[in-house]
Amino acid sequence: SEEINACSIKVKAQYAGKERDMLVMFKNETHNHPTEIEPFGGAATCLGGAIRDPLSGRAYVYQAMRVTGSGDPTAAPSETLPGKLPQKKITTGAAAGYSSYGNQIGLATGQVTELYDAGYAAKRMEIGAVVGASPKANVRREAPAAGDVIVLLGGATGRDGIGGATGSSKAHTEDSVEDCGAEVQKGNPPTERKLQRLFRNPEAAQLIKRCNDFGAGGVCVAIGELAAGLKIDLNAVPKKYEGLDGTELAISESQERMAVVLDKADVEKFQLMAMEENLDACAVAVVTEKPRLRMTWREDMIVDLSREFLDTNGVTQNADAYITAPVGESYRDSVPSCLKDEALPQAFLKNLARLEVCSQKGLVERFDSSIGAGTVLMPYAGEFQLTPEEAMVARIPLEKGETTDATAMSYGYIPGIMKYSPFMGAAYSVVESLSKLSAVGANPLKARLTFQEYFERLHKEPKRWGKPAAALLGALTAQLGLKIPSIGGKDSMSGSFESLDVPPTLVSFAVTMTKTKKVISAAMKKVGSRVVLFPVPADKDGMPDWEKLREYYKEILLRIEAKEIISASVVKEGGAAAAVAKMCFGNKLGFKFNDNLTREDLFSPRSGAIVAELSSEVAIDENSVLSPKYVGVVRAEEEIEIGGEVLRLEDALSAWSGTLEKTFPTKAPENPVDDIPFFTQRTGGAPSVRTAKPRVLIPAFPGTNCEVDSARAFERAGAKAEILVVRNLSAGDIEYTIDRLETKIREAQIVMLPGGFSAGDEPEGSGKFIATAFRNPRIAEAITELLERRDGLMLGICNGFQALIKLGLLPHGKITDINEKDPTLTFNSLGRHISKMAYTKVVSVKSPWLALANTGDVHAVPISHGEGRFVADEGAMEKLIKNGQIATQYCNLAGDVRSGIEWNPNGSVLAVEGITSPDGRILGKMGHSERAGKHLYKNVPGEKDQRIFESGVKYFL
């Protein structure tokens, strides 16, 4: 269709025994220039822009990947180039911006990787890639007709971002940091969350004939591309403030706006549905018969251009490209110079500590990886969550119900290979991205690709032009050889700063469909397993043999489906030695390397080669297309034997995890903890009215992002859940919300406060915004009536738990003023957001919410929060323990309470994860129990379902 904002793949998803036609959409986006000059805002709007493209196709974006390029973030500030920000400032600020946006909007970031190369000090690389989906029936794509109306939906317009699109192609100078800040757009994730909810509504989505998001070019492009003939009234464009002139209104790149084409008869209906989602929707343009783009401002016609002129696409330009031959030893097959003269054991440890190889766990955990209740593979695998996965996998999202159909997405790119040969490097970028899909059990030969190119400023120099020309030819060669198509990505040709250039960059992103039950993990599973290396079939020049590689991928897939391969990883920087070590870390298993391995076997970045753990009975023919090479055997002892020397596994872990500790910390001060005595007495009360299908009210405040997951969990348990969107755009909206909230509370048996970032996680205490609304006298009275007269239940998770604490409902059981001696939730001891799987132990079954649990039960539950540390003084803790109000504690898989951040992730007093009211009918907890589901988080062991929602429903039977 003419909507080209993202690739659409038609798929059939299985749901409740039926097939459902779906469109899966994906694309990638860069914000290199904005992130270089304003790291937080640039990275945040990189993700926002990536989301908006599939969203404009009516797709719900459910998973994101972040691939970045940075100079050395451990370098001293004194090494910073004039006119630049320090690399640590850029990389930490960008991580904060991207994660803030994704965490607020409620998007699972399934994989985060930062590539380190001195060349990225010229200009940072910031890429966001996303996957979305929509029922095909929701996507109506028609040509606009004369008389159709263009509605501008979402945020208001300001001066932010003006010149952002052209700025991304500018040369970066010493003055850019000071002069270009206004070009950086300002993201607003809560508004984009509202757009997501509206576009998931089939009734609203099916009214849209065509849609464009507002990004580069503002009104000129977003509306100007929708139809051949348009009359745009710039006076009707909503403004953030007064004083904007017509040009500013036309070219502003303010974020979180959509332009939708509607039949004139559908405009009012669509606006009413937008209003219910707390969104502005203003008619700003009409489609005209005459093919001209016209804009009026203050009664003047300030733009009047023929479509024929606009469709010329500007002036045709030509450039000469000269492709040079590679010189020297192939980087792909070479051993890093720093490892050549070291003894093998010392080289092994030094390799793990290299900036290109070391752990990035402290970076990755900042990004919510489980929201949406669709994540099949967490970013880190194993009981200890220390093995990085090769691809991100998530179920296709359904608002109700579950499917076993999933998408897998990966990337491929090694800067060193691209610097040696852009042609070979790009070809192996494709191969690496496909091998990573293969390593998780997905079919790479059914993949679709999208590329991101990033090169130095080319000027008119043929040798500089030769680098992107060679890279694109290399990628095309791989596509033709493997018979795999790609969609256009995005290019950036301004990666230079004075004499410094970014490395030649072509990142390959690959997406394919798979089944959740077929997915495998990278973590080693079994003591005694043999591990083999499957090299990429290649010709004498080191280029892949494409026909053999197709057979190679087919063979790998068959071996995984037959359970002959039980874990797999892909060789990249660090070589097979690093791949094996990281596979061992997740479950803290030891390893003995084969003595016959060469340094090249161990340390060269043989991009795309697969390291596989075999089930014990498997034998693979050495003459097969896989050409297996024996690497070694998995051991029970926590040690690694290499080069005739035995190393402690902890020493290898320390080498791997220490390099970026000061940049992205993973360690925090520890507080003493202890087991809390079990409280085994269950609540004997019963509700005043019993019902087989209790009604659950779930208010969605601005910033709430777990409402859909929570409603789905209650519906699956047998309840009837209703999401009430809080409207606050005007005084009338607030009064309307108070009326509805009071009514719905009085109709409900359960009130659930879901997670999110109410008011963007307001300062000095998350949940205050929700608490303020619930202290309204009418709402407070309705809550009191629910709890004290009708014996109803309340549940608060994460942000909702914080609100219950602020209201005094926890631990007191009623809305009351709180004082300094009351328990509270504050910043994690690590000082940052943390997302991972946490083990929790049930220590009290007093609450009806834990009616289907037993004391001592251990569950693996997703957590994702920045302020989850439970704090209370000794007196308060004694009272809570005595009353049986401590519901759950953080622990390890065996149920032992430990003080380290590894097991007590936020540093809570006595490792407290959840508490209840005195009678148990109000439960608050940090772990996201609503994110449970079949085949989720497969790479982390443990029971995932606490059956909290079933217990809540059972209470009313």
Side-chain angles (χ1 to χ4, degrees), residues 491-546:
D491 60 77
S492 181
M493 304 293 172
S494 61
S496 296
F497 178 76
E498 297 182 341
S499 61
L500 189 61
D501 297 325
V502 298
T505 304
L506 187 143
V507 183
S508 171
F509 293 95
V511 177
T512 193
M513 298 299 300
T514 190
K515 292 285 188 179
T516 55
K517 64 182 179 181
K518 294 183 177 180
V519 176
I520 67 168
S521 161
M524 297 285 194
K525 312 269 187 317
K526 192 176 177 183
V527 173
S529 293
R530 291 177 304 119
V531 175
V532 296
L533 172 69
F534 299 132
V536 172
D539 61 23
K540 60 181 178 60
D541 296 317
M543 285 295 291
D545 182 317
W546 303 112

Side-chain angles (χ1 to χ4, degrees), residues 38-168:
E38 206 286 88
F40 186 100
T45 52
C46 173
L47 179 58
I51 294 169
R52 280 198 315 275
D53 286 318
L55 179 58
S56 68
R58 277 73 84 201
Y60 174 69
V61 174
Y62 57 92
Q63 201 170 35
M65 177 180 289
R66 179 177 184 254
V67 179
T68 55
S70 172
D72 184 354
T74 67
S78 59
E79 298 178 35
T80 305
L81 296 170
K84 289 281 189 179
L85 297 172
Q87 289 301 305
K88 181 176 179 179
K89 170 69 175 176
I90 296 174
T91 195
T92 56
Y98 193 110
S99 63
S100 173
Y101 198 103
N103 295 350
Q104 285 188 66
I105 196 173
L107 173 60
T109 303
Q111 191 170 56
V112 177
T113 304
E114 187 144 276
L115 303 163
Y116 295 109
D117 187 279
Y120 287 122
K123 188 184 286 187
R124 178 179 180 79
M125 178 174 72
E126 186 75 33
I127 311 176
V130 296
V131 185
S134 171
K136 189 171 180 294
N138 286 6
V139 184
R140 171 187 175 191
R141 289 168 172 167
E142 296 179 8
D148 284 347
V149 175
I150 314 296
V151 169
L152 193 160
L153 180 68
T157 301
R159 293 190 176 93
D160 51 293
I162 288 179
T166 52
S168 65

